[in-house]
Structure formats: C-alpha cells, structure tokens
Amino acid sequence: MGSPAQSLLASPPGPNRRGVALLSGILALVAVGVLVAGVFVISDLDAKSVKNREASSRAMHITEAGVAHALGVLRSQFKATPMTQLIRGADWTWGTADDGLLVGYSGLTSADEIPAAGRAFDGGTYFVKLKDDPADADGDGTADSNNRLLLECRGVTADGATA
C-alpha cells in the first residue's frame, strides 16, 4: 500500500505565522493612539485660539471705552482750549510729564482725568495720549497748526492682551 492520499484542500507546510497577529494588533493600537493624540492636540489648539480671540475682544472693548471717555471729556470741557495746549499739557510746557495727557487742568475732576498710569476699566486698563496729527504741515510735533489731533489709545487686559 503506499502513503495515505493527501487532501487537495490541505495547505502545504510553510513558514510559521504565529507572531503576525500580535504585530498587527500592536500596529493597530499605535495607529489609534496617534489619532487620539491628534484629536487632543487639535482640541487644545482650538481652546487656545478661542481664549486668544476672547482676550483680544476684551482688550478692544477696553480701548474703545478709553476713546469714548477721552472724546467725552474733550467735547464737554475742552471746546475752547487750543489744540497746542492739549498736546503740551496743562502747564503749556513741552517735555514735562503731563504732555498729551488729560490731567492737571483746572475744572477737570479726578473722575474725568486719564493719568499716564491709565484708568482701570472692566478688568483691564486703558491709556490715552493726545498727539499732533502726522498730516500737520508745520512739522512741529509740539504745536498744532491745522486744528486736528491724534488720539492714541491702548487697552490692556489683566492677562496681557493689548489693543
């Protein structure tokens, strides 16, 4: 008799493949881990972006409050004041600490003043300074000749955002 007949469906003996499933499983777990880490990084960047946008909006709100305050004071109490005096300050002298600031004028209350240290508002501080506008043809930044001023205002939030 001879050797037993082999089935046509049986596979011929080949290389040992027992570790392939383990390697495939580890690679799948690594791929899932990378995807999950990517989702967390994107979420974190999105949260930082939203926080930055919100802080920027608050800084702009504070800046606009400073502009409104300064314009209100200028329109109500300084209608007849020469622009050059507003640039040089209440003492009319260029190069002193009150240049371009709304401080030290007679009739100006402490609630209306905006000192060099700024004025606190809504969790931040705004700073206002009056300057001669760049379009003034006289070229002298200490005197005005065209009845126009530049109102420079900066708002800073408690977390450091600036507008």
Side-chain angles (χ1 to χ4, degrees):
M1 304 239 191
S3 65
Q6 283 189 333
S7 167
L8 293 176
L9 299 176
S11 63
N16 188 356
R17 295 181 171 231
R18 284 185 284 176
V20 172
L22 178 62
L23 181 61
S24 299
I26 290 173
L27 288 176
L29 286 175
V30 167
V32 168
V34 167
L35 287 173
V36 169
V39 167
F40 280 117
V41 166
I42 289 172
S43 297
D44 184 51
L45 289 174
D46 188 46
K48 287 178 183 175
S49 174
V50 167
K51 183 178 178 184
N52 186 18
R53 201 172 311 130
E54 189 261 335
S56 175
S57 293
R58 279 188 294 118
M60 187 56 98
H61 172 72
I62 292 168
T63 303
E64 288 175 355
V67 170
H69 179 176
L71 286 176
V73 169
L74 289 170
R75 287 177 179 159
S76 66
Q77 299 185 17
F78 293 104
K79 287 181 183 177
T81 306
M83 302 281 184
T84 300
Q85 182 178 1
L86 293 172
I87 295 170
R88 293 181 181 178
D91 62 1
W92 272 87
T93 307
W94 179 252
T96 57
D98 68 345
D99 293 347
L101 299 176
L102 295 174
V103 293
Y105 291 96
S106 62
L108 195 62
T109 66
S110 61
D112 289 335
E113 287 186 343
I114 306 174
R119 177 161 299 277
F121 178 81
D122 195 27
T125 306
Y126 59 80
F127 305 88
V128 174
K129 190 156 184 130
L130 297 165
K131 297 182 175 183
D132 194 16
D133 69 307
D136 199 345
D138 66 359
D140 183 7
T142 66
D144 179 65
S145 64
N146 64 351
N147 289 326
R148 295 173 114 186
L149 290 179
L150 177 67
L151 179 65
E152 184 179 89
C153 188
R154 180 173 51 98
V156 180
T157 63
D159 60 0
T162 303

